[in-house]
Amino acid sequence: MKSSFTNINLSKLLFAFVVLIAFTFTFGIIDAEAQCAMCRATVETNYNNGAGEASTRLNSGILYLLCMPYILIGTVAFFWYRNKQKNKRNGKRTFKIARNPAM
């Protein structure tokens, strides 16, 4: 039987890892050239006409849209894992198999 001290340390370590990854993805973003061919052509045309700020905003928007699915999946996975651990500590089954009355 594992001690609760080990589970608490593992939980804190996992939480610290998730926070570190979230912090890195949030504040460690560097400029990237994340554009499709049509967007790139539009941005180059605007840049040549003197509207250089639009390309920066477009890149930021594309990166924002790219990160959202990963953040949502990570959040769902975190709450699922936390609920599973809570049920395990309380002695509840996390996966129930229903009996088929036809068998």
Side-chain angles (χ1 to χ4, degrees), residues 83-84 86-96:
N83 189 29
K84 184 177 176 184
K86 186 175 18 172
N87 287 342
K88 189 184 289 186
R89 275 183 268 145
N90 294 337
K92 296 179 182 175
R93 291 177 61 188
T94 56
F95 182 75
K96 295 181 181 179

Side-chain angles (χ1 to χ4, degrees), residues 41-85:
T42 303
V43 168
E44 286 178 357
T45 302
N46 287 341
Y47 185 75
N48 291 336
N49 292 335
E53 188 177 316
S55 64
T56 305
R57 289 192 309 245
L58 182 62
N59 278 334
S60 298
I62 291 171
L63 291 174
Y64 175 76
L65 290 173
L66 175 75
C67 292
M68 281 291 117
Y70 294 105
I71 292 171
L72 289 173
I73 290 171
T75 303
V76 169
F78 169 74
F79 284 115
W80 174 76
Y81 176 78
R82 190 175 74 171
N83 189 29
K84 184 177 176 184
Q85 293 300 319

Side-chain angles (χ1 to χ4, degrees), residues 6-59:
T6 305
N7 290 338
I8 291 173
N9 283 341
L10 185 61
S11 176
K12 286 183 180 179
L13 182 65
L14 180 64
F15 178 74
F17 179 72
V18 169
V19 168
L20 178 68
I21 294 297
F23 183 80
T24 301
F25 283 146
T26 303
F27 297 109
I29 296 175
I30 58 173
D31 289 337
E33 297 290 331
Q35 297 175 351
C36 66
M38 291 178 64
C39 296
R40 185 172 182 87
T42 303
V43 168
E44 286 178 357
T45 302
N46 287 341
Y47 185 75
N48 291 336
N49 292 335
E53 188 177 316
S55 64
T56 305
R57 289 192 309 245
L58 182 62
N59 278 334

